[in-house]
């Protein structure tokens, strides 16, 4: 009969396992929609080909969104405002579907601003200069956190994580994840989803 591991060792093993899983998730996401460093190869099971479909979660099944805060591309600080509906979009300048959906996000953000909806971008695994140039060209009308390390993404592990670039999360006024879209979201789908969550 083998001796039991000391408690400290068991705790360390659990922490290392969780850390490894989180790092694997970031690595997988970096290769999801193609990027500067890693394009998905044929048969790459890490790739999530999102079609932009918005998936809703029933109120009783919604999970609390993590605390999100970070430095924006323009040097400011952004965080989620309590009591507001938020649309959180994960993007990168090297991502073709991100460029395709950019006008959609910009228009819906402008339309729903009067309802108190706040959009926030999360620029993931990107060169800062490239992300800033992209942001200046698009002029989305809302800030983006520069998340080169994937810290913001890691905060969602264990809840409803983004699993593709781009990904969009809608967070309700109670700070819970109400909906998710993987891939480039379509105008009518996003507007309808944001309106639905705002009107709850």
């Amino acid at each position: 009969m083998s001796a039991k591991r000391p408690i400290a060792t068991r705790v360390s093993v659990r922490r290392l396992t969780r850390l490894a899983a989180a790092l694997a998730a970031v690595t997988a996401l970096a290769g999801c929609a193609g990027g500067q460093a890693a394009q998905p190869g044929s048969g790459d099971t890490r790739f999530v080909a999102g079609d932009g479909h918005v998936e809703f979660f029933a109120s009783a099944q919604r999970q609390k969104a993590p605390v999100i805060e970070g430095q924006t591309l323009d040097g400011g600080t952004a965080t989620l405002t309590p009591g507001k509906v938020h649309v959180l979009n994960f993007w990168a300048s090297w991502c073709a579907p991100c460029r395709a959906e950019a006008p959609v996000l910009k228009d819906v953000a402008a339309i729903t601003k009067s309802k108190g909806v706040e959009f926030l971008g999360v620029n993931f695994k990107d060169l800062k200069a490239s992300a800033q140039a992209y942001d200046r060209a698009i002029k989305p009308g809302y800030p983006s956190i520069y998340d080169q390390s994937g810290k913001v993404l890691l905060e969602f592990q264990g809840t409803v994580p983004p699993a593709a670039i781009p990904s969009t999360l809608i967070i309700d006024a109670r700070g819970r994840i109400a909906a998710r879209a993987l891939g480039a979201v379509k105008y009518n789908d996003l507007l309808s989803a944001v309106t639905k969550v705002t009107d709850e």
Side-chain angles (χ1 to χ4, degrees):
M1 180 172 158
S2 61
K4 290 185 178 179
R5 287 179 180 164
I7 291 174
T9 302
R10 292 201 301 271
V11 171
S12 297
V13 169
R14 283 198 299 270
R15 284 181 180 163
L16 287 172
T17 301
R18 284 198 300 269
L19 179 60
L23 290 173
V26 171
T27 302
L29 183 55
C32 280
Q36 294 166 314
Q39 291 285 344
S42 100
D44 187 345
T45 57
R46 298 175 306 167
F47 180 74
V48 178
D51 61 2
H53 170 73
V54 179
E55 177 186 10
F56 278 95
F57 305 105
S59 182
Q61 298 174 337
R62 292 178 186 174
Q63 299 186 56
K64 192 77 173 172
V67 174
I68 300 301
E69 185 175 14
Q71 187 177 51
T72 61
L73 289 171
D74 61 7
T77 300
T79 187
L80 303 187
T81 308
K84 296 271 191 178
V85 171
H86 293 87
V87 178
L88 198 60
N89 178 256
F90 291 79
W91 64 277
S93 65
W94 42 258
C95 163
C98 298
R99 292 193 293 273
E101 74 170 0
V104 169
L105 293 161
K106 180 177 180 176
D107 288 351
V108 175
I111 290 170
T112 58
K113 188 174 183 179
S114 63
K115 294 184 176 183
V117 178
E118 294 185 358
F119 276 60
L120 178 62
V122 179
N123 176 253
F124 177 77
K125 291 290 181 183
D126 210 344
L127 296 175
K128 193 168 189 177
S130 299
Q132 289 171 327
Y134 176 93
D135 199 57
R136 286 193 299 269
I138 297 297
K139 294 184 175 63
Y142 56 86
S144 282
I145 291 174
Y146 181 58
D147 190 37
Q148 206 283 333
S149 67
K151 179 183 175 184
V152 173
L153 180 143
L154 282 174
E155 295 291 337
F156 282 91
Q157 295 305 314
T159 62
V160 182
I165 291 289
S167 285
T168 302
L169 301 177
I170 301 175
I171 300 171
D172 68 19
R174 293 171 61 184
R176 304 171 305 167
I177 303 166
R180 176 178 68 172
L182 303 179
V185 70
K186 298 171 181 64
Y187 180 87
N188 288 335
D189 292 346
L190 182 60
L191 180 58
S192 175
V194 174
T195 300
K196 180 177 178 178
V197 175
T198 304
D199 291 345
E200 289 178 340

